Amino acid sequence: MKERHLLRNTFLIGLAIVTILCVIIMDIYTYGSKYEGYNFYYNGAIMPLQIDHPQDITATRNTEINISNNFLIKEEYELYNHSQQEKTIQLKYPYLGYLSNKDEFMIEANGKSINYQINLQQFINQYQYSKENQLFEKTLPHNINQIKQLLDNQPKKLSQQMKDLLKQEVYVYRFVDRQYPEDGTVCYLTVDIPKNQKIYCYNIDKNEDEIFEIMMDNGEYALTPMLISKEKIKDIHLTGYSDSNLNKVSHEVKAKIDEEKITVKKAIDAILLEQNNIFLKEKQYQINQDSINQNFYHLIDEMIENNVPIEMFSIEYIIDDAYYQISHEVKIPADSSIKLNYQYLQNYYVALKSKQDHNFNYMTQYQSSLNITSQKIKLILQEPYSLKDDNLGLKKDLKVYQKDIDLNQDEYYIDIDVQN
């Protein structure tokens, strides 16, 4: 039962954002687009550590890439404090792609795990829509040049239309204190409202008979059902049912209604917060909420500007395929050093299957002001993987490759073959 609830919730998660915006911008929007398969994309830029205040700090860098049944990246930095005072250093480790679990990313300072925060800087996905073919697809960068173009461009400011939209007020009706017999039967609550009232739903279905219905769920992945309206709803009537066909009326199936008049911005923020908390229940890490909200505003603004239908977005789509900065701080004693270790899994399947450009790139100084005095790379390949091409000057037909990096070159590439 919980699995069914979770699947339904996942499908409906993003509807709220769509409906809130439609309340203000347009009448009921008819979606006719179809999804097209995602393209394979480049996802292999290994970028250098970033530092806020680089004065009196130098570093050495050793990178190990181990490709077997996964794509394991290990980076060791030794940071030197050349000053005569202890320094607290703010650091950011750049990551392109998707983090599915904290266990896939680890940071250690002198062998001890340290806390960090994941900040979503900007999306690296884009959206294209063909009115002629009614196709809607997410597109992603295929090479390092496209990624650099995205990261080097300053984020656009929100349009005045979007700013005005976020300030406008809506009535939000949340269905809380939901009660129903938890005997395994799927129960429903119908919502009757005055006709001709423009109502937009979050986690609420509208069935074939034009009846708004809530599938009752109080599980750990349950989202709060919600109605959103520009105008105040003067009369809402609830009826509980203990069957999916809405034949068996039950007074045990009920809920309370909380009414609130808030801005579109607050409504969106509240929905994203709930979605974030639910999506991250099993992810074991935190993502800066404001960074998600701000990036979502820009995404919606861009889609509105390009007349792209706002499709079924969920928080998983929002934090998928993005540029992150994983922030933390360390203390380095005067005239001393500290060793930092970063370990994570890269999206090896996409990277190795890519036919668009190089499997992955190694960046020496890109977007970093940290003075790295030496860099070394170690590549470990296990069957069925082998080295196809590179510009590092690696010897072919080996299983372990090691190379000192020429710092005068900004980027290197490595292509991998997969034997069937």
Side-chain angles (χ1 to χ4, degrees):
M1 188 61 62
K2 285 185 178 180
E3 290 180 357
R4 179 178 173 180
H5 291 180
L6 177 57
L7 287 172
R8 177 180 179 277
N9 287 341
T10 301
F11 181 74
L12 293 173
I13 274 176
L15 189 56
I17 311 302
V18 176
T19 54
I20 288 175
L21 294 171
C22 288
V23 166
I24 309 299
I25 299 172
M26 62 192 78
D27 291 330
I28 296 176
Y29 204 109
T30 302
Y31 299 110
S33 62
K34 300 177 182 178
Y35 285 94
E36 194 174 61
Y38 292 170
N39 294 328
F40 285 128
Y41 61 98
Y42 171 89
N43 190 22
I46 303 172
M47 295 166 58
L49 184 64
Q50 301 168 0
I51 186 171
D52 282 355
H53 301 288
Q55 293 85 356
D56 300 318
I57 302 295
T58 63
T60 60
R61 177 189 185 191
N62 294 312
T63 303
E64 178 181 297
I65 305 167
N66 191 330
I67 302 177
S68 55
N69 61 342
N70 56 30
F71 195 138
L72 182 63
I73 309 293
K74 295 181 181 179
E75 288 215 276
E76 178 185 274
Y77 287 83
E78 186 164 7
L79 270 63
Y80 297 84
N81 175 11
H82 298 279
S83 74
Q84 299 305 307
Q85 295 180 336
E86 180 183 77
K87 283 182 174 284
T88 299
I89 307 298
Q90 304 293 328
L91 298 167
K92 300 181 182 72
Y93 191 92
Y95 182 89
L96 286 164
Y98 170 63
L99 286 172
S100 61
N101 196 297
K102 185 177 179 180
D103 290 340
E104 295 178 4
F105 202 100
M106 180 195 71
I107 303 177
E108 290 183 345
N110 285 343
K112 295 182 179 180
S113 296
I114 61 176
N115 295 323
Y116 56 85
Q117 184 177 50
I118 301 175
N119 293 313
L120 187 157
Q121 295 303 113
Q122 67 186 83
F123 298 108
I124 60 173
N125 48 38
Q126 297 176 316
Y127 298 87
Q128 294 180 346
Y129 176 69
S130 168
K131 291 183 179 180
E132 180 180 354
N133 299 319
Q134 290 190 315
L135 293 176
F136 174 82
E137 65 175 357
K138 180 169 72 172
T139 62
L140 296 138
H142 288 288
N143 58 50
I144 188 61
N145 291 328
Q146 292 179 13
I147 288 176
K148 288 170 70 174
Q149 184 177 6
L150 285 171
L151 301 189
D152 290 342
N153 291 338
Q154 293 297 319
K156 291 172 57 179
K157 294 183 178 180
L158 290 178
S159 68
Q160 190 60 48
Q161 180 186 18
M162 190 67 188
K163 291 178 181 178
D164 293 341
L165 166 65
L166 294 173
K167 293 177 183 178
Q168 294 190 45
E169 291 188 327
V170 290
Y171 288 90
V172 176
Y173 299 87
R174 296 182 178 89
F175 297 85
V176 299
D177 296 337
R178 297 180 296 278
Q179 299 179 36
Y180 56 95
E182 299 189 17
D183 58 1
T185 303
V186 181
C187 300
Y188 286 84
L189 191 70
T190 62
V191 184
D192 184 27
I193 59 174
K195 292 183 179 179
N196 301 321
Q197 181 107 31
K198 290 185 178 180
I199 298 297
Y200 300 87
C201 307
Y202 170 59
N203 200 34
I204 299 177
D205 282 338
K206 190 174 184 180
N207 64 24
E208 295 177 355
D209 297 322
E210 301 292 311
I211 297 174
F212 295 104
E213 60 181 40
I214 299 170
M215 187 178 73
M216 302 297 276
D217 184 7
N218 291 330
E220 62 175 328
Y221 294 100
L223 296 165
T224 304
M226 186 185 306
L227 291 179
I228 304 157
S229 174
K230 283 184 66 175
E231 306 297 332
K232 182 180 178 67
I233 305 176
K234 295 182 179 180
D235 185 29
I236 302 178
H237 181 70
L238 304 180
T239 305
Y241 295 89
S242 59
D243 70 314
S244 59
N245 294 322
L246 306 183
N247 291 323
K248 300 177 182 178
V249 176
S250 173
H251 297 293
E252 295 182 85
V253 181
K254 53 189 176 181
K256 292 182 180 179
I257 304 174
D258 280 351
E259 177 187 310
E260 187 178 19
K261 188 177 183 181
I262 56 178
T263 63
V264 171
K265 179 182 183 301
K266 287 185 177 179
I268 291 177
D269 290 353
I271 291 167
L272 288 175
L273 177 61
E274 181 181 49
Q275 294 177 20
N276 191 17
N277 290 340
I278 288 177
F279 177 73
L280 294 177
K281 274 184 182 292
E282 296 180 350
K283 305 306 179 187
Q284 302 174 0
Y285 61 75
Q286 294 297 315
I287 291 182
N288 181 281
Q289 187 67 42
D290 185 62
S291 66
I292 290 179
N293 297 352
Q294 293 298 325
N295 278 277
F296 189 79
Y297 304 153
H298 281 281
L299 175 62
I300 296 300
D301 196 16
E302 180 179 341
M303 297 181 76
I304 293 171
E305 180 183 346
N306 291 284
N307 298 314
V308 176
I310 305 169
E311 291 288 336
M312 299 293 293
F313 283 100
S314 73
I315 194 65
E316 185 167 3
Y317 292 136
I318 301 307
I319 66 174
D320 190 7
D321 301 312
Y323 171 49
Y324 300 96
Q325 287 180 337
I326 301 172
S327 303
H328 65 95
E329 67 176 30
V330 294
K331 290 184 178 180
I332 309 179
D335 197 24
S336 188
S337 67
I338 187 173
K339 284 190 177 181
L340 295 172
N341 293 92
Y342 303 86
Q343 179 176 306
Y344 58 94
L345 296 174
Q346 182 59 278
N347 193 335
Y348 79 99
Y349 176 80
V350 171
L352 296 183
K353 293 295 184 180
S354 172
K355 296 180 179 179
Q356 292 295 329
D357 285 281
H358 302 298
N359 296 144
F360 59 93
N361 284 71
Y362 174 91
M363 316 298 290
T364 56
Q365 291 288 342
Y366 178 59
Q367 288 206 341
S368 177
S369 59
L370 179 61
N371 181 11
I372 306 176
T373 59
S374 70
Q375 301 187 43
K376 297 180 180 180
I377 193 168
K378 181 178 182 180
L379 174 65
I380 302 172
L381 298 176
Q382 301 182 40
E383 293 184 355
Y385 306 109
S386 61
L387 180 64
K388 178 181 179 181
D389 191 21
D390 71 278
N391 64 343
L392 282 157
L394 303 178
K395 294 181 179 179
K396 300 296 186 290
D397 302 322
L398 298 177
K399 293 300 179 185
V400 178
Y401 304 82
Q402 298 188 68
K403 186 76 174 181
D404 289 341
I405 300 296
D406 181 356
L407 303 183
N408 293 319
Q409 187 164 324
D410 293 331
E411 61 191 61
Y412 295 88
Y413 69 83
I414 298 175
D415 287 346
I416 303 297
D417 256 344
V418 183
Q419 302 298 323
N420 296 325

